[in-house]
Amino acid sequence: NTILNHSIANLNDISIMSSSYHRNVVTPQPTYCEHVVVSVGLWSSTLIIAVFARDLGLVAALTGTIAASMLGFVLPALMFFATYNEDFQDAIRMTLAMYYNNTDEFDDHHVINRTVERSTIRIMLDNMCKVFQLFMPFYIPFLMIIFGILSLIVGLISIFIEYTR
């Protein structure tokens, strides 16, 4: 009986636990009132656009530009950052520790080599190379976000230029 109660309690906890690094994350559910307000707000905004838009080409162009840049570039990069959030935070922590010369933050793989014979510039260059290597997996997703935002801006500007003529 105790095992059954423990199993049922674990099944109830599954819905509120995050599998990432075994942290408990409680996702608050919206109340009925919040659900109604958001639903009516979305419906109202859609209705207002449908009533006042004479040309749905503008709406389709705006939707396509926003959706294409977000789905093609920004969202995959954000998912990468969400997936490797711990690694990104570790890289930031190690960089700050390196900047403040705190070697306690480093494990066996990331050790600052501080010998008296080396010049300060050499140590700075070594640290810069280590920082570059720490953030190596995050450069492409970061550039994807920048490119996605730039393509969104260029797309919106071109749409507004085309429809204001």
Side-chain angles (χ1 to χ4, degrees), residues 80-81 84 87-88 91 134-143:
F80 180 85
F81 278 115
Y84 294 102
D87 295 337
F88 188 66
L134 286 173
F135 287 98
M136 183 76 72
F138 304 104
Y139 291 137
I140 298 296
F142 183 70
L143 291 174

Side-chain angles (χ1 to χ4, degrees), residues 24-96:
N24 291 334
V25 178
V26 177
T27 306
Q29 296 295 320
T31 64
Y32 179 74
C33 183
E34 291 170 341
H35 174 73
V36 168
V37 167
V38 170
S39 296
V40 169
L42 288 172
W43 176 79
S44 300
S45 63
T46 305
L47 180 68
I48 289 170
I49 290 172
V51 167
F52 290 111
R54 290 184 221 142
D55 183 16
L56 290 181
L58 174 64
V59 175
L62 287 173
T63 304
T65 300
I66 294 169
S69 63
M70 291 296 150
L71 288 175
F73 299 106
V74 176
L75 289 179
L78 290 177
M79 285 188 265
F80 180 85
F81 278 115
T83 303
Y84 294 102
N85 186 24
E86 281 292 318
D87 295 337
F88 188 66
Q89 288 178 358
D90 288 343
I92 291 173
R93 190 177 333 104
M94 287 183 212
T95 302
L96 291 175

Side-chain angles (χ1 to χ4, degrees), residues 5-18:
N5 289 338
H6 183 67
S7 298
I8 292 173
N10 286 341
L11 286 175
N12 290 336
D13 289 341
I14 288 174
S15 64
I16 61 170
M17 287 181 63
S18 171

Side-chain angles (χ1 to χ4, degrees), residues 82-153:
T83 303
Y84 294 102
N85 186 24
E86 281 292 318
D87 295 337
F88 188 66
Q89 288 178 358
D90 288 343
I92 291 173
R93 190 177 333 104
M94 287 183 212
T95 302
L96 291 175
M98 204 179 302
Y99 179 74
Y100 291 113
N101 294 324
N102 182 5
T103 57
D104 295 337
E105 290 287 327
F106 293 94
D107 56 9
D108 294 334
H109 302 290
H110 303 93
V111 177
I112 299 175
N113 189 2
R114 286 198 238 148
T115 58
V116 179
E117 303 89 42
R118 286 187 159 178
S119 68
T120 310
I121 294 174
R122 180 68 183 171
I123 293 172
M124 286 174 45
L125 288 174
D126 286 346
N127 288 345
M128 286 174 55
C129 289
K130 289 176 185 176
V131 168
F132 181 78
Q133 289 173 349
L134 286 173
F135 287 98
M136 183 76 72
F138 304 104
Y139 291 137
I140 298 296
F142 183 70
L143 291 174
M144 285 177 63
I145 291 173
I146 291 173
F147 184 77
I149 291 171
L150 288 176
S151 68
L152 173 69
I153 292 169

